[in-house]
Each structure stands twice: as C-alpha cells, then as structure tokens.
C-alpha cells in the first residue's frame, strides 16, 4: 500500500521554503523535492533483499541551488546543449544564455532544476507543476510543465508533459545518476551494461552532435553484448591515448 509524506525540507536563497515528498510502498521509498522536481533519493531492495539508496544526491536544498551536476532534477526547457546558444524557429533566430563554454546547457542560467515547483498529491503519487514565462531564458512561448512521480507494484514512474502558447523547443529529462550497489558504495566501474544500439551520436570538440551516427562495432562504445563498464572505459582511454 502506498503512503505519501510531506515535510518542510529547508530553504534556499531569498527565504523560499522547499518541501520534500516521500512515497513509500513496502521496501521502496522515493523522496522528491519541490526544488527542481528532483528525485533526491530512491531506496530499493536488490535481488538479495538488501535495501540501498541507488541515486546520487545532496542532503540539503541549498546544495541543489548551487551550480552542480544536476543530480536527479527535471531539466528544461531543453536538456543537453544548444550550440552557441542560438536556434532558429519559424524564420526567427533566438539567443539564449551561454552557460557551458560556447553553448547553452540544460535550460540556461536558471533552468527548471533551479525553480520551485508547485506540488499536489494525486492518485498513486505526486504531481509537480511549473509555469515558464514567454521569453524566459530566451525561449518563446509561455509553457506549463508537469512532472508526476507515481509508485505502484514496485515500479517508480515519471510522466512529464509540457504545453506552450507558441512554438518552442521542449526536451525534458530527469537527470538522475544511478549506482545500483548504493550511492555510498564507490564507483560503478564493476557494473555490467547492455545497450541495444548499433550506432552512437558523434560529437564535436564542444560536445555538439555532428549529425553523424557512427557504428559501435570495434569501438569502446559497443555494449550490444553485456560488458563491464570499467573495462570499456579503460578501452576508451587507450583509444584516446590517455594514460
């Protein structure tokens, strides 16, 4: 049976209060913050029944408010990079904040991860909502976003939706980092990984896709059969000439 607990979690600059919602079903416990609709922790049992927190995160909302690795947050309006902070849409060029070398990254200087979301309990979970104004961070259109976390049958689910008053790019994601042995267990180099992909997206020197889909065969990017992550990373270092 699902239980939901809401508590005050602290504050960020300006005295804004941050809440933490905790969803519990049996041994599975997920905590989500109103700051960034962020998955702060996810406790779940492994195949032997040992319960660990398998996502990386911070202990206080103030740490999430600082520039960092985007632990567990909802990233938007556009996850990943936009080259030179510019894009054209319907014949108009838009300029965005440049916050990652020459690029715009993860929604800009104050993306969705740094915003306080409204929250309400719904059937099976909690819905977080956010309003993004027209031309916020340089993007056209007023956008309403929702991120609903639900927990049922041992599965944590995240459903996201965005509606805009004008054409605008939207590319939302949850930016969680996982360590299936528990976040305090060390690195994930001994994890095994299988990816059913025969090509990968090639990047330029500024981490922008070139448009070329390169085959994974005979490269360190080949996970079409189960591979140990650390071994593949060591191969990548050798291929790049890194000692």
């Amino acid at each position: 049976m699902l239980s939901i607990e809401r508590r005050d979690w602290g504050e960020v600059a300006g005295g804004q209060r941050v809440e933490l919602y905790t969803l519990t079903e049996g041994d599975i416990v997920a905590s989500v913050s109103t700051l960034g609709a962020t998955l702060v922790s996810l406790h779940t049992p492994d195949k032997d029944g040992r319960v660990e927190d398998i996502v990386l995160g911070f202990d206080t909302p103030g740490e999430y408010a600082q520039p960092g690795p985007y632990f567990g947050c909802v990233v938007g309006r556009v996850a990943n990079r936009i080259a030179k902070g510019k894009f054209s849409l319907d014949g108009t060029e838009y300029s965005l904040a440049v916050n990652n070398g020459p690029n715009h990254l993860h929604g800009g200087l104050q993306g969705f991860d740094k915003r306080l979301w409204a929250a309400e309990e719904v059937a099976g979970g909690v819905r977080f909502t956010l309003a993004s104004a027209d031309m916020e961070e340089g993007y056209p259109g007023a956008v309403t976003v929702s991120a609903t976390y639900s927990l049922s049958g041992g599965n944590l689910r995240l459903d996201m939706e965005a509606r805009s008053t004008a054409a605008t790019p939207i590319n939302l994601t949850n930016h969680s980092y996982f360590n299936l042995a528990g976040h305090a267990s060390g690195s994930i180099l001994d994890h095994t990984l299988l990816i059913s992909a025969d090509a990968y997206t090639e990047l330029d020197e500024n981490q922008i896709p070139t448009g070329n889909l390169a085959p994974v065969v005979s490269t360190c990017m080949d996970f079409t059969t189960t591979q140990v992550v650390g071994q593949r990373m060591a191969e990548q270092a050798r291929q790049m000439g890194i000692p």
Side-chain angles (χ1 to χ4, degrees):
M1 181 176 179
L2 176 67
S3 67
I4 301 174
E5 176 192 2
R6 182 187 67 179
R7 69 178 178 91
D8 183 90
W9 196 37
E11 67 178 37
V12 290
Q16 294 179 300
R17 305 302 299 180
V18 180
E19 293 182 325
L20 191 69
Y21 283 79
T22 299
L23 289 70
T24 302
E25 185 189 54
D27 290 334
I28 301 177
V29 183
S31 293
V32 187
S33 164
T34 53
L35 179 61
T38 298
L39 180 62
V40 173
S41 62
L42 176 58
H43 291 81
T44 187
D46 64 11
K47 63 182 181 181
D48 298 318
R50 183 172 60 97
V51 176
E52 294 286 354
D53 178 8
I54 63 169
V55 297
L56 276 61
F58 294 120
D59 295 327
T60 65
E63 293 170 285
Y64 284 98
Q66 301 302 314
Y70 301 91
F71 283 149
C73 62
V74 172
V75 170
R77 292 188 189 189
V78 173
N80 218 323
R81 295 166 180 82
I82 295 178
K84 300 178 181 179
K86 296 182 182 297
F87 69 91
S88 294
L89 182 62
D90 295 338
T92 300
E93 183 175 274
Y94 295 90
S95 294
L96 311 172
V98 171
N99 62 327
N100 178 254
N103 306 318
H104 173 90
L105 177 67
H106 292 341
L109 299 174
Q110 192 179 35
F112 293 172
D113 63 294
K114 296 294 187 290
R115 298 281 306 280
L116 280 176
W117 295 53
E120 60 176 337
E121 294 186 24
V122 296
V126 181
R127 178 185 297 124
F128 297 83
T129 56
L130 179 70
S132 176
D134 180 37
M135 299 310 296
E136 182 175 291
E137 296 292 327
Y139 290 99
V143 172
T144 301
V145 184
S146 67
T148 303
Y149 289 85
S150 55
L151 180 57
S152 177
N155 296 304
L156 178 66
R157 174 170 173 156
L158 172 57
D159 292 281
M160 294 186 287
E161 180 179 291
R163 295 180 181 272
S164 179
T165 59
T168 191
I170 292 285
N171 183 37
L172 304 173
T173 194
N174 173 273
H175 207 280
S176 286
Y177 294 69
F178 290 88
N179 185 331
L180 300 183
H183 78 270
S185 67
S187 78
I188 51 89
L189 295 181
D190 61 349
H191 281 39
T192 57
L193 182 64
L194 174 68
I195 303 176
S196 298
D198 57 11
Y200 67 94
T201 304
E202 185 181 74
L203 304 178
D204 67 15
E205 65 277 7
N206 291 316
Q207 297 184 288
I208 297 296
T210 65
N212 180 45
L213 296 180
V216 300
V217 64
S218 300
T219 75
C220 60
M221 306 294 280
D222 188 356
F223 286 88
T224 53
T225 58
T226 302
Q227 302 291 331
V228 178
V229 172
Q231 292 177 0
R232 278 294 190 243
M233 291 181 67
E235 291 174 20
Q236 181 183 35
R238 286 194 297 270
Q239 291 177 13
M240 297 176 65
I242 300 173

